[in-house]
Amino acid sequence: MNMGTYLLLASGVFWSLTYVLLIKRGFQDKTCGMPLVALCANILWEFIFSFVHPDSPP
């Protein structure tokens, strides 16, 4: 595996960790962990780069 593959995998792991920590913090504070505008932008970003401009698989 080349360095690009490792970076893609690390990026996926760290983003997953970020989402888990946002959910945990939301439960602790009893509020939304991420602002609604940021959540919508993130979902749109994921949609665009999953279906409109997909990358090659790692």
Side-chain angles (χ1 to χ4, degrees):
M1 293 188 350
N2 62 14
M3 183 59 99
T5 303
Y6 288 120
L7 291 173
L8 281 173
L9 291 173
S11 174
V13 168
F14 286 122
W15 272 115
S16 297
L17 180 64
T18 300
Y19 292 135
V20 168
L21 292 174
L22 274 169
I23 292 168
K24 180 182 174 221
R25 184 60 185 240
F27 279 119
Q28 287 175 343
D29 293 345
K30 293 184 175 46
T31 185
C32 183
M34 178 186 262
L36 185 60
V37 174
L39 179 64
C40 292
N42 191 346
I43 291 171
L44 183 62
W45 174 273
E46 295 292 342
F47 177 81
I48 289 172
F49 285 99
S50 293
F51 299 109
V52 179
H53 300 293
D55 278 336
S56 59

